[in-house]
Amino acid sequence: MLAEVDQKLVLACLKMIPQQYISADTSRLTLTLFALGQLDLTKNLKEIEISRANWIDWIYAHQYLTENNQNGGFRGGLFSGHKFDKNGNYKKDEYDLPHIAMTYAALLSLLILGDDLGRVNKTGVINGLKLLQSENGSFKPCEDSREFDLRFVFCACAISYILNDFSGLNVNKVLEFIVKCQAYDYGFAQNLNLESHGGSTYCALASLKLLNKLDLIDKKATLLWLLKRQEDGFRGRINKPPDTCYTFWIGASISMLEGTKFVDTVPLKTFLECCKTKYGGFGKSENCHPDLLHSYMTIAGLSIFGIEEGLDDLNCELNLSKNSFETLKNSCNWNLS
Ligand SMILES: [Zn+2]
């Protein structure tokens, strides 16, 4: 089976990240999401059932709180920018801030673990989003950042959708920014006047779908741009080699535009088979080491295109299994439209 997960590899990465991941310790929540997501889509969450409550507590330990809920969200790792006083007590400092990509990863991981998000400081998270939107509608990931682009627009939309509260963003400005990021060839760029990119196109389409505004764009022309990204696997940009993660970025985009029937899954499957490693998991291309991101994105893509049976379906706009999406709909204490 192509999607068969090497449990030992995924479980080991959950408990302790390998040396190669040390620089990613400050975004540990994303690595956790890619590991949990693999177990979820392959219906193997029973492997961590015994420690499920501990994992939930560990994720909540990343939550950032300020007085009066002026700001909220999650940090990427428990040691991001932390300082300790001479007695070893934790001291908040100016770099210890929530990051919206990490908040998105935390919320998804909690849903995968079956949590009802009851301990999320919803008011703080929504107030935190208000601090991050620029005049042109784009978002930055955290207060001290200067990076404004579509990636963080998507995170803001997904967080608002999950918490069923869009009052943290100026929706009209978001829509204006997304539409302006569409390039001459109908793909979307990360920011204004840049080159079309598969990841940015996913962020644009998923944001529009979460806002129920996909009709604002020329869907047929965008679908054509996406379909032309297939060689055997998908590539993210013109003239770049295929890469397994675009099985999700491009695949989910095609799915949101209802175009999966136009994709030739035979060469796609062959490409993915070549990228599977002997350690289990997938690298970004043939002869590459496996990593959590590319392994998760490949399995998500296999689900989207129905290449392999036995996987859970995917809610493409949130990048969440249908089963975990049901947790969001049925367990969380707010009405989801
Ligand atoms: Zn990649």
Side-chain angles (χ1 to χ4, degrees):
M1 293 274 282
L2 197 53
E4 197 178 349
V5 172
D6 184 329
Q7 307 289 355
K8 281 186 193 154
L9 184 70
V10 175
L11 294 172
C13 288
L14 263 178
K15 285 178 189 154
M16 185 182 285
I17 51 174
Q19 189 188 10
Q20 290 82 352
Y21 273 132
I22 284 173
S23 63
D25 196 38
T26 51
S27 44
R28 186 83 179 266
L29 283 186
T30 56
L31 301 178
T32 306
L33 172 62
F34 295 138
L36 290 175
Q38 287 182 66
L39 296 175
D40 188 19
L41 279 174
T42 56
K43 303 179 182 172
N44 278 308
L45 279 172
K46 56 185 180 302
E47 296 291 333
I48 55 157
E49 184 54 36
I50 197 165
S51 54
R52 200 170 59 89
N54 290 342
W55 278 111
I56 291 172
D57 287 345
W58 181 79
I59 292 168
Y60 275 118
H62 293 73
Q63 188 163 212
Y64 176 90
L65 302 166
T66 52
E67 282 175 25
N68 305 322
N69 299 331
Q70 296 149 325
N71 195 0
F74 288 75
R75 314 171 185 93
L78 286 176
F79 300 101
S80 328
H82 287 202
K83 283 182 179 165
F84 296 87
D85 65 19
K86 59 179 190 266
N87 298 319
N89 297 318
Y90 159 65
K91 253 176 33 177
K92 249 179 199 172
D93 78 4
E94 60 186 309
Y95 301 111
D96 184 20
L97 292 166
H99 185 291
I100 56 174
M102 303 307 150
T103 304
Y104 164 73
L107 295 179
L108 252 56
S109 298
L110 288 169
L111 290 170
I112 289 172
L113 292 163
D115 183 70
D116 65 359
L117 308 186
R119 284 187 268 164
V120 173
N121 174 15
K122 186 176 168 183
T123 310
V125 173
I126 299 300
N127 283 340
L129 292 180
K130 291 175 188 167
L131 304 171
L132 305 176
Q133 191 168 19
S134 77
E135 265 306 298
N136 75 355
S138 62
F139 268 82
K140 60 181 178 177
C142 54
E143 261 187 284
D144 65 353
S145 172
R146 291 182 187 174
E147 281 186 297
F148 288 89
D149 62 56
L150 258 184
R151 293 171 300 173
F152 308 118
V153 167
F154 163 70
C155 292
C157 289
I159 292 166
S160 304
Y161 181 90
I162 291 169
L163 299 180
N164 199 23
D165 185 344
F166 280 88
S167 65
L169 38 148
N170 180 328
V171 172
N172 286 336
K173 283 193 169 183
V174 162
L175 295 172
E176 228 173 83
F177 177 73
I178 295 173
V179 169
K180 281 184 183 168
C181 285
Q182 191 161 32
Y184 71 94
D185 57 5
Y186 295 97
F188 286 80
Q190 195 160 289
N191 219 321
L192 309 180
N193 305 317
L194 297 178
E195 180 188 10
S196 295
H197 183 278
S200 313
T201 302
Y202 168 78
C203 290
L205 296 180
S207 302
L208 291 173
K209 179 127 195 223
L210 291 167
L211 291 164
N212 205 16
K213 292 287 182 189
L214 262 180
D215 287 337
L216 278 182
I217 57 160
D218 184 338
K219 290 190 276 189
K220 207 170 155 186
T222 308
L223 178 59
L224 197 59
W225 182 85
L226 288 161
L227 292 169
K228 284 182 176 171
R229 301 288 70 75
Q230 184 177 18
E231 190 176 285
D232 41 11
F234 288 103
R235 45 183 147 201
R237 284 181 282 164
I238 292 169
N239 287 331
K240 292 280 281 183
D243 173 333
T244 51
C245 70
Y246 293 100
T247 323
F248 170 78
W249 301 117
I250 300 276
S253 301
I254 288 173
S255 176
M256 286 187 277
L257 298 178
E258 297 171 5
T260 51
K261 59 181 175 288
F262 300 117
V263 171
D264 189 348
T265 56
V266 176
L268 175 60
K269 187 177 179 188
T270 307
F271 168 72
L272 297 176
E273 277 167 351
C274 291
C275 302
K276 179 146 187 166
T277 75
K278 62 181 177 183
Y279 313 104
F282 294 84
K284 73 171 186 173
S285 53
E286 198 172 355
N287 298 324
C288 287
H289 282 290
D291 66 81
L292 287 170
L293 181 147
H294 287 89
S295 298
Y296 172 76
M297 295 300 189
T298 302
I299 291 170
L302 291 171
S303 165
I304 291 166
F305 292 110
I307 292 174
E308 197 152 293
E309 293 192 356
L311 298 176
D312 198 2
D313 289 336
L314 193 75
N315 175 303
C316 288
E317 54 271 31
L318 284 179
N319 191 6
L320 184 66
S321 76
K322 284 275 162 68
N323 186 47
S324 298
F325 185 68
E326 288 301 310
T327 303
L328 173 62
K329 277 202 303 187
N330 301 328
S331 306
C332 297
N333 198 19
W334 46 81
N335 296 321
L336 202 68
S337 53

